[in-house]
Amino acid sequence: MSPAREVEQAGLRSSRGVEIAAAAAEFRHRTGLSPEVAACAPGRVNLIGEHTDYTEGLVLPCAIDHKTIVVARKRSDRRVIAHALDLNERAEFVLDDLRPQASWIDYLQGVGFALGEQGVDLPGIELTVSSEVPQGAGLSSSAALGVAVCAAWLACWGEGRGTPRRWAEIAHRGESHFVGVGCGILDQFASALSEPGHALRIDCRSREVQPVAFAGETPALLIAHSGVTRALAADGAYHERVQECTEAWAAIQRANVFGSGVRGLRDLVVDDLPALEGLLAPALNRRVRHIVTENHRVVQFCEAMRAQDWASLGSVMAQGQVSLRDDYEVSVPELDALCEIADGLPGVIGSRLTGAGFGGCTVHLVEPGNRETVAPALQAAFQRRFEHPLRLIWTGIGGGAVCETL
Ligand code: GLA
């Protein structure tokens, strides 16, 4: 275990102690029994590398302070009974009869499904979930839930807790193959494997992760929730983008213009783009241009972090936003406006939409001395143009998921 993770693990008892105690108290009140394990997994914000994970590209998320906590206890039968504190909802299913219910319980069923595929003879469990990750905001509330549930369930099973990487892989498998969101690994890997104070560069082909820190002072991180909500599972537009990438790659393979070293969109570089003109339909050409330039931006962003080059961070983010707006076409007027307004404010280093888009949030890097002025100015200017309430969230860069026996 890395020193950073040890610190975070030790911190679970203290800093998360209050939330765990509250969830455990509710659990005892409801069941008359004490929970045996607690797991905690954060939401994430993606700094750069958007819509590149499902074509095996590069991404650079970091964990946010907002977390999902699960306390659980093994049952002697095969039922799973869950209570979501924030929603004040109870839901259940039987492990031998998994079927999507179009509800948050599907993420738990997904974990059961994926562990079942691996031959794990899971027990039923009773659990309480408490989450501060906003839903429908593009901050990976579902990945935080899946990762925390997986960690807690494996710990209840009793044959070892598994590793954070395994939690991520299982939660991803459940979300993509049971819930049916054809997403990449970005969210679950960020939630499970992030290190405190570091962004996480993930190579979505090799699945190698590399923590990357800001040299010098770390910029403050502001997340602006536009109030336009979206749900990935119901979001045909996300699937359409995944599909377009598959189609574009099939057309490129048919044309056979690149050598065998190009095994997917991920292997194309900016210099290859002119060869694609005329080969792909205009919309597909734009999608591929986004993927290729965005992978390059992840590399540039990491270099700028290491060089403490805030000007380059800002310009890479701005180019990313333009690419998401014009080439990938996943932005909405509210997100464009947030970026445009924020980038005009003194002390804002850079802005872009974060997550899948189609609503949700923008992320802004802010010079730490300007926190007090940026938030109210952004709020006021946004509210002059749009009616729905803007929610501003300052976050630190947190660590990944942890699990402990109570
Ligand atoms: C959602 C998906 C991720 C990723 C992002 C876009 O968050 O769950 O896998 O594709 O959108 O970068």
Side-chain angles (χ1 to χ4, degrees):
M1 187 188 295
S2 72
R5 186 166 289 285
E6 271 174 28
V7 170
E8 176 68 3
Q9 188 107 42
L12 178 63
R13 281 195 180 78
S14 49
S15 71
R16 296 291 143 198
V18 177
E19 290 103 316
I20 291 173
E26 190 283 335
F27 185 99
R28 274 191 293 275
H29 173 71
R30 195 167 49 85
T31 65
L33 298 165
S34 292
E36 297 164 333
V37 302
C40 177
R44 65 97 189 93
V45 66
N46 196 16
L47 297 178
I48 194 84
E50 218 65 87
H51 286 279
T52 44
D53 59 347
Y54 48 82
T55 44
E56 301 190 324
L58 304 176
V59 295
L60 189 75
C62 61
I64 58 174
D65 291 336
H66 304 67
K67 294 184 158 72
T68 294
I69 285 171
V70 167
V71 295
R73 181 186 179 94
K74 186 176 175 171
R75 289 178 57 90
S76 54
D77 60 13
R78 305 260 297 160
R79 284 170 75 200
V80 174
I81 303 177
H83 187 239
L85 270 185
D86 322 85
L87 305 173
N88 195 20
E89 275 178 27
R90 177 189 184 280
E92 66 171 278
F93 62 90
V94 180
L95 268 168
D96 308 299
D97 183 22
L98 301 177
R99 59 177 96 171
Q101 300 175 24
S103 126
W104 54 272
I105 196 77
D106 292 352
Y107 295 96
L108 280 64
Q109 296 198 79
V111 170
F113 162 84
L115 284 169
E117 271 187 335
Q118 293 191 349
V120 179
D121 186 21
L122 282 176
I125 47 170
E126 188 99 28
L127 59 151
T128 292
V129 180
S130 164
S131 183
E132 24 173 63
V133 186
Q135 285 189 22
L139 298 175
S140 295
S141 56
S142 56
L145 177 61
V147 168
V149 165
C150 182
W153 210 339
L154 282 173
C156 283
W157 179 47
E159 313 246 335
R161 278 180 207 148
T163 59
R165 181 174 286 271
R166 185 161 187 225
W167 305 338
E169 284 174 342
I170 292 292
H172 173 253
R173 177 85 189 159
E175 183 157 349
S176 56
H177 285 75
F178 183 82
V179 184
V181 181
C183 58
I185 61 170
L186 163 63
D187 306 343
Q188 292 81 9
F189 270 56
S191 179
L193 293 165
S194 288
E195 301 276 350
H198 292 71
L200 193 71
R201 182 189 190 275
I202 308 170
D203 181 323
C204 299
R205 175 178 281 164
S206 66
R207 301 198 162 187
E208 272 165 8
V209 299
Q210 188 187 6
V212 185
F214 285 95
E217 200 174 13
T218 299
L221 231 68
L222 176 63
I223 297 169
H225 184 5
S226 63
V228 183
T229 54
R230 40 166 288 279
L232 266 197
D235 203 338
Y238 184 86
H239 290 276
E240 202 179 287
R241 293 297 176 276
V242 175
Q243 194 54 42
E244 285 173 325
C245 289
T246 310
E247 267 175 50
W249 174 239
I252 291 169
Q253 274 182 305
R254 278 195 303 275
N256 202 19
V257 284
F258 300 107
S260 59
V262 176
R263 292 189 283 133
L265 294 184
R266 136 75 190 262
D267 298 308
L268 296 172
V269 295
V270 175
D271 285 347
D272 292 327
L273 289 175
L276 298 176
E277 304 275 346
L279 192 77
L280 299 174
L284 292 190
N285 200 39
R286 289 199 299 277
R287 307 295 184 252
V288 173
R289 188 163 59 205
H290 168 75
I291 301 284
V292 173
T293 56
E294 186 77 351
N295 280 324
H296 183 56
R297 280 187 285 273
V298 174
V299 175
Q300 291 178 309
F301 195 96
C302 290
E303 280 166 8
M305 283 176 76
R306 293 185 181 113
Q308 210 181 340
D309 181 352
W310 288 4
S312 294
L313 289 176
S315 89
V316 170
M317 289 176 87
Q319 289 163 33
Q321 175 62 19
V322 168
S323 182
L324 287 165
R325 186 191 66 197
D326 298 344
D327 281 349
Y328 222 63
E329 297 179 274
V330 294
S331 194
V332 294
E334 287 84 348
L335 300 179
D336 292 334
L338 282 167
C339 293
E340 183 201 312
I341 297 165
D343 283 343
L345 297 173
V348 173
I349 298 166
S351 307
R352 55 182 288 282
L353 75 79
T354 186
F358 314 109
C361 295
T362 49
V363 60
H364 310 271
L365 297 186
V366 178
E367 290 171 16
N370 291 70
R371 283 176 59 132
E372 307 306 323
T373 49
V374 165
L378 182 58
Q379 182 96 42
F382 182 82
Q383 242 53 104
R384 276 196 291 275
R385 283 160 73 169
F386 300 97
E387 280 178 5
H388 30 264
L390 179 69
R391 183 170 166 205
L392 296 178
I393 305 166
W394 289 103
T395 181
I397 301 182
V402 286
C403 180
E404 68 174 34
T405 309
L406 293 174

